[in-house]
């Protein structure tokens, strides 16, 4: 019985380890594929830009159409992906962009085949139609990008307006003593608090005087009221000097007084 349970536990651990390794390998593979796709797309964009500048005629025009299509879709995707975390409604626009990207991929394939077409007449006949489709896709992508940018700017302006109004209200609350019926109330409150402070000071003075009368003149060490000891106190001569002074002041009686 115990051996069977141990075997089942060991088998479960092995299965979990295998599943974890498979998931990790799959995640690494997907990441590598994404990086390869990005690198390949970057190389293709650079190649298309070079062709659009160096080649003339239909070949250069096809390269320019393909480059404009990719640039517009990439720009719109960056804008939507950067703002979808703050505004969930942009997720629908991102889904529409995915569908639009699928049409753009089909059109890019047709343009690539037309780029390798040896018949110049067929290229001249098909290019206007493909260019018109590319313009429609580009316009749709740019419309969503501009709308998303306007939406973000609008939200930022509204938030800034609310924040400005809150700051103005707080500033008015901080200046409540300047105007309004609350000024006299604030003054009376401050006068009352000053009277309370004076009464508290008087009570403290009376308490201090009573403490002096009850316990004598008790000086503190750092209270600034003569807390430093005198030379007689430091030398221990306070009591003998006091006694000698009292003895000298005492009137003498007896025969020598006359």
């Amino acid at each position: 019985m115990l051996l069977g349970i141990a075997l089942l536990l060991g088998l479960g651990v092995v299965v979990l380890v295998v599943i974890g390794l498979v998931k990790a390998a799959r995640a690494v593979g997907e990441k590598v594929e994404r990086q390869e796709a990005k690198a390949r797309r970057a190389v293709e964009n650079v190649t298309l830009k070079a062709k659009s500048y160096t080649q003339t005629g239909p070949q250069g025009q096809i390269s320019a159409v393909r480059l404009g299509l990719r640039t517009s879709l990439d720009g719109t995707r960056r804008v939507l992906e950067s703002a979808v975390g703050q505004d969930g409604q942009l997720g629908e626009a991102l889904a529409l962009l995915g569908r639009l990207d699928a049409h753009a991929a089909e059109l890019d394939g047709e343009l690539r085949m037309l780029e390798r077409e040896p018949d110049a007449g067929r290229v001249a006949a098909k290019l206007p139609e493909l260019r018109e489709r590319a313009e429609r896709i580009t316009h749709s992508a740019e419309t969503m990008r501009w709308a998303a940018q306007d939406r973000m700017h609008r939200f930022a302006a509204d938030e800034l307006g609310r924040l400005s109004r809150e700051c103005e209200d707080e500033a008015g609350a901080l200046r409540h003593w300047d105007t309004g019926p609350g000024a006299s109330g604030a003054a009376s409150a401050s006068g009352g608090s000053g009277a309370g402070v004076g009464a508290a000071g008087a009570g403290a003075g009376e308490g201090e005087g009573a403490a002096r009368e009850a316990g004598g003149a008790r000086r503190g060490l750092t209270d600034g009221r003569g807390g430093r000891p005198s030379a007689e106190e430091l030398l221990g001569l306070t009591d003998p000097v006091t006694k000698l002074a009292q003895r000298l002041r005492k009137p003498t009686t007896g025969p020598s007084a006359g």
Side-chain angles (χ1 to χ4, degrees):
M1 181 70 69
L2 295 177
L3 183 60
I5 293 174
L7 289 176
L8 289 176
L9 290 176
L11 182 61
V13 171
V14 171
V15 171
L16 291 177
V17 170
V18 171
I19 292 175
L21 291 176
V22 170
K23 288 184 177 181
R26 186 177 300 173
V28 172
E30 291 177 355
K31 185 176 182 180
V32 171
E33 289 179 358
R34 287 195 299 268
Q35 296 296 330
E36 289 180 355
K38 288 182 180 179
R40 183 169 56 252
R41 192 173 184 85
V43 172
E44 290 178 356
N45 290 340
V46 172
T47 303
L48 289 175
K49 185 178 292 186
K51 287 181 178 180
S52 62
Y53 285 124
T54 56
Q55 292 181 351
T56 58
Q59 302 298 326
Q61 295 177 9
I62 293 174
S63 298
V65 171
R66 294 180 61 194
L67 180 62
L69 192 64
R70 290 168 177 246
T71 303
S72 178
L73 290 172
D74 289 341
T76 304
R77 184 174 297 278
R78 283 195 299 268
V79 171
L80 295 179
E81 289 180 350
S82 64
V84 70
Q86 301 175 358
D87 188 358
Q89 192 170 352
L90 294 179
E92 299 179 2
L94 197 58
L96 288 176
L97 182 65
R99 295 170 56 187
L100 194 64
D101 199 1
H103 286 280
E106 294 178 359
L107 179 60
D108 186 74
E110 294 181 16
L111 288 170
R112 190 184 297 110
M113 288 189 297
L114 188 64
E115 195 175 14
R116 295 191 293 265
E117 175 63 40
D119 188 358
R122 180 170 178 80
V123 172
K126 294 289 293 182
L127 184 57
E129 177 188 354
L130 298 180
R131 182 187 291 124
E132 192 269 337
R133 286 173 56 190
E135 290 176 354
R136 290 172 58 187
I137 295 175
T138 301
H139 177 71
S140 299
E142 290 177 348
T143 300
M144 286 195 296
R145 183 174 70 249
W146 295 336
Q149 291 174 348
D150 294 341
R151 182 180 179 86
M152 289 187 293
H153 294 166
R154 180 63 180 177
F155 283 171
D158 292 342
E159 180 64 23
L160 181 58
R162 287 193 296 268
L163 182 58
S164 299
R165 289 191 296 270
E166 290 178 3
C167 291
E168 291 176 358
D169 294 340
E170 183 64 22
L174 292 175
R175 295 192 182 96
H176 69 280
W177 66 85
D178 286 344
T179 58
S184 59
S188 61
S190 62
S193 61
V197 171
E206 292 176 0
E208 186 178 358
R212 284 201 186 98
E213 292 177 359
R218 300 177 61 184
R219 292 176 297 181
L221 180 63
T222 59
D223 58 357
R225 295 194 300 268
R228 296 180 180 178
S230 62
E232 291 83 357
E233 292 175 349
L234 291 174
L235 296 176
L237 300 177
T238 305
D239 291 339
V241 172
T242 304
K243 293 179 180 180
L244 179 59
Q246 292 176 357
R247 196 174 295 169
L248 291 174
R249 293 192 188 98
K250 184 180 295 184
T252 58
T253 58
S256 58

